[in-house]
Amino acid sequence: MEHTEARPHRGWASRWIFILAATGSAVGLGNIWKFPYITGEYGGGAFVLVYLACILVVGIPVMMAEVMLGRRGRRNPISSMEALAKEAGAPAAWSLIGWAGMLAGLMILSFYSVVAGWVLDYILRMADGSLTGASSENVTQAFTGLLTNRNELLGWHTAFILMTVAIVAGGVSKGLGNAARILMPLLFVLLLLLLGYSLASGDATRAFHFMFDFNASKLSGEAVLVALGHAFFTLSLGMGAMLAYGSYMPGKASIGGTVLMIAFLDTLIALIAGMAIFPLVFAHGLEPGSGPGLMFMSLPTAFGNMPGGGLFGTLFFILVGIAALTSAISLIEPGVAWLNETWHVKRLRASILLGLVGWLGGVACIFSNNWLETGPTDGWYVFETLDFVASNVMLPLGGLLIALFAGWAMKAPSVREELRDLHPALYGAWRVVIRFIAPIGIAVVFLNSTGLLKLG
Ligand code: TRP
């Protein structure tokens, strides 16, 4: 259908820029903050293996479906789904995928930006030496102090939203494309530097065993489900981000090969992040299973007490900030593209508008926080609700609908045309996964994470 209508938007300059931008979306707080701490919480090696299996069996096929829908639709997620439903003779209600996705993106941005704000704060804290030589109590106190200082939280949250808006306002090739072109290579370099530092000065052997030793007895049903849920979050699936990015993809590029590359880079970076973090944590006798505080408490304690820690700690948080920024832009791009294409709202205005909605959501997170009175895990009511509903309900549901549309509603010849580069055997396998295995797998995760089904 891209032949019959003029493309309403300009695309990525090349297939490589698409790969960098999509990898930028995928690699974020999920890889560097969340993956190491859930690996810690679920006991290491066995969890990592299941997570890898989830990426391979469900993540990659669903990502291919999402990118495929975007490239065939050639519009923002809402209009793409309308057009594709029409082409397939299916109900227009399939555009719900785009609507729900836009909402989920704004919900994720709300809390994502608050955490990214902590990261910005830590760049300065590591750089000004205030955590140098600090005991783990001091560091915990400093983190608590930040979480209860609303003005500071607001300031950093606002700064992060402004950066996100500035990039998205620049458009696909000048904004998103250039951000990917400049920031992603920087991210790779920083990550390798940190890996080297960590391997040289931390306990690499113990970290390696922790991450890769397979111990089946540690494998609970819940761990399997968390691994599958995280596979979705880390690949940016289920809300139309990849659909929007895919709509700017060159028509000639192979979807299978490109998606494989993105998933490979995302996984590699998560594993390297683990190998950059755990050796330091172990070398200082700290706990890998310390939960969300791993990056904001254990790690800064380690950095604060080692030679060169100030410099490398600063670089580490710059790296995390970059990863968060290139992800956050993909959270509002679907909505901005929709406002721009369908309602002819200028990109700058559309970005400001959606940034403002995300900002308000983050403000609600910050002002509903009564961490001091209730303790570390219970004080973030709005924050946790947004995370839970968006990540555990809307993303799996969106992914399920995407798989069902690609597998059942869309006409097979249209699908095959987009995936024409795929070897027949691989195409056959993909089709079985997208029609049966992925929907069933996602349904199980969804039912479990919403408490409708209790496994493990
Ligand atoms: N993938 C990002 C991370 O790992 C988060 C993210 C960005 C995301 N865009 C998304 C998650 C869209 C789901 C859907 O941090």
Side-chain angles (χ1 to χ4, degrees):
M1 78 177 46
E2 62 263 49
H3 309 297
T4 55
E5 273 177 58
R7 278 173 56 182
H9 40 222
R10 278 181 55 201
W12 308 115
S14 73
R15 171 173 172 266
W16 264 102
I17 299 295
F18 169 69
I19 291 178
L20 287 182
T23 305
S25 166
V27 174
L29 295 172
N31 302 59
I32 308 177
W33 171 58
K34 217 169 175 189
F35 174 71
Y37 90 69
I38 55 179
T39 298
E41 283 186 340
Y42 288 96
F47 176 83
V48 172
L49 198 75
V50 174
Y51 161 78
L52 293 178
C54 291
I55 294 276
L56 205 65
V57 176
V58 181
I60 291 172
V62 172
M63 191 169 189
M64 284 170 63
E66 197 173 326
V67 171
M68 185 263 291
L69 297 182
R71 191 172 72 180
R72 190 152 186 94
R74 279 276 177 241
R75 299 167 180 79
N76 63 82
I78 294 173
S79 312
S80 283
M81 287 314 299
E82 280 166 359
L84 291 170
K86 200 164 159 204
E87 184 193 43
W94 281 104
S95 63
L96 193 72
I97 291 176
W99 286 100
M102 194 163 84
L103 188 66
L106 292 171
M107 291 167 69
I108 295 177
L109 180 64
S110 302
F111 69 84
Y112 207 81
S113 166
V114 174
V115 179
W118 306 347
V119 173
L120 297 182
D121 181 81
Y122 268 70
I123 296 177
L124 289 193
R125 271 174 208 246
M126 296 297 332
D128 72 10
S130 59
L131 296 178
T132 306
S135 67
S136 71
E137 288 78 44
N138 296 151
V139 177
T140 305
Q141 245 167 34
F143 189 47
T144 315
L146 169 64
L147 294 191
T148 49
N149 185 339
R150 284 186 178 147
N151 288 338
E152 222 173 308
L153 291 175
L154 261 179
W156 290 121
H157 163 58
T158 307
F160 185 78
I161 292 276
L162 285 175
M163 292 195 275
T164 306
V165 166
I167 295 178
V168 178
V172 178
S173 105
K174 284 212 187 93
L176 309 186
N178 275 339
R181 197 198 312 263
I182 298 163
L183 295 177
M184 292 312 287
L186 189 59
L187 183 143
F188 292 123
V189 171
L190 285 175
L191 194 64
L192 291 178
L193 265 176
L194 276 150
L195 179 68
Y197 175 73
S198 172
L199 294 182
S201 46
D203 190 343
T205 318
R206 189 145 165 231
F208 194 85
H209 282 299
F210 176 72
M211 280 185 73
F212 299 109
D213 278 356
F214 184 77
N215 181 351
S217 68
K218 283 190 174 160
L219 210 56
S220 65
E222 190 191 326
V224 177
L225 297 164
V226 170
L228 186 54
H230 186 64
F232 257 84
F233 189 85
T234 189
L235 290 178
S236 297
L237 298 180
M239 63 139 283
M242 286 301 146
L243 215 151
Y245 276 33
S247 75
Y248 310 121
M249 185 180 171
K252 292 193 299 284
S254 146
I255 289 178
T258 307
V259 164
L260 210 60
M261 187 75 194
I262 297 163
F264 172 76
L265 288 173
D266 180 72
T267 309
L268 186 72
I269 290 174
L271 296 178
I272 295 182
M275 281 308 291
I277 290 173
F278 288 122
L280 300 180
V281 169
F282 282 128
H284 290 83
L286 300 164
E287 270 307 304
S290 58
L294 183 68
M295 196 174 92
F296 295 103
M297 294 192 277
S298 306
L299 196 63
T301 309
F303 278 128
N305 292 283
M306 52 203 302
L311 173 65
F312 283 95
T314 308
L315 293 179
F316 175 82
F317 283 99
I318 291 176
L319 158 76
V320 183
I322 290 174
L325 188 60
T326 54
S327 294
I329 55 183
S330 74
L331 292 166
I332 57 171
E333 174 59 24
V336 169
W338 175 70
L339 286 173
N340 184 245
E341 290 161 16
T342 304
W343 298 100
H344 307 291
V345 181
K346 289 222 165 39
R347 244 185 187 273
L348 176 64
R349 275 194 202 170
S351 312
I352 292 175
L353 190 69
L354 294 186
L356 195 63
V357 176
W359 183 79
L360 286 171
V363 169
C365 290
I366 291 169
F367 278 88
S368 68
N369 161 33
N370 55 345
W371 204 79
L372 250 201
E373 295 102 79
T374 53
T377 49
D378 308 319
W380 284 96
Y381 185 70
V382 172
F383 183 109
E384 285 178 349
T385 307
L386 284 173
D387 183 14
F388 181 81
V389 174
S391 313
N392 296 341
V393 181
M394 299 178 76
L395 294 186
L397 223 54
L400 177 66
L401 290 175
I402 285 168
L404 291 178
F405 185 86
W408 297 91
M410 201 163 159
K411 298 273 182 286
S414 317
V415 177
R416 189 59 174 132
E417 193 187 325
E418 288 303 319
L419 299 179
R420 60 190 169 275
D421 294 327
L422 220 54
H423 185 279
L426 281 177
Y427 177 72
W430 175 82
R431 223 162 141 74
V432 171
V433 171
I434 216 68
R435 302 185 84 180
F436 302 102
I437 297 174
I440 293 169
I442 296 164
V444 171
V445 177
F446 173 69
L447 291 175
N448 178 74
S449 61
T450 50
L452 295 171
L453 176 82
K454 208 74 212 129
L455 290 182

